[in-house]
Amino acid sequence: MSDLPPPPPPGGGSTPPPPPPPGGGGYSAPPPPPGGSYLPPPPPPGGGYTPGGGAQYASPRTDGLAIASLITGILSLVCCAVVLGIILGPAAAIMGFISRGRITSSGGALGGGGLAIGGLILGVVGFLASIGALLFWIGAFRSVTTT
């Protein structure tokens, strides 16, 4: 046999596609998008390494009692005009106090210390506002009944 290439196909008229590039494992850029002007950003250098990375740690879990304290404290402040803050205020303050103790003793495993403090403060303010509202309603009721 001879080392001659095979003869071209008869009558094709078109040129055959170019041979594939030699395998080298190199990265070639994708073809440009048809008709559009948007080009995607190039891949980051260094194989996708982002500086400052390293191991990503999960944030501490928020204590549920801290969330409940904050919600109850907000409700005690909102409902102080109808004197519900007398009940909700101390409940929020107690939950905030207990939650703050649990968070500090957890050694960083629990978060939400700000929520617990916020619930404690709002509970105390809601309680005091409800006491003020109660005194106002008592005074208003006495003035209406005496006249």
Side-chain angles (χ1 to χ4, degrees):
M1 297 257 198
S2 69
D3 290 324
L4 295 174
S14 64
T15 58
Y27 173 77
S28 63
S37 63
Y38 171 75
L39 292 175
Y49 171 74
T50 55
Q56 299 293 325
Y57 297 104
S59 62
R61 188 173 53 95
T62 303
D63 188 22
L65 200 58
I67 296 171
S69 169
L70 183 66
I71 291 172
T72 309
I74 291 171
L75 286 176
S76 74
L77 198 57
V78 169
C79 299
C80 69
V82 291
V83 194
L84 278 176
I86 292 178
I87 298 169
L88 296 176
I94 291 169
M95 285 191 287
F97 184 76
I98 293 172
S99 174
R100 186 70 181 143
R102 285 171 45 178
I103 291 168
T104 54
S105 67
S106 73
L110 287 177
L115 299 177
I117 297 277
L120 193 146
I121 291 171
L122 286 176
V124 170
V125 170
F127 176 74
L128 294 176
S130 287
I131 294 294
L134 180 66
L135 294 175
F136 171 78
W137 289 120
I138 289 173
F141 183 71
R142 281 191 181 177
S143 67
V144 169
T145 56
T146 57
T147 56

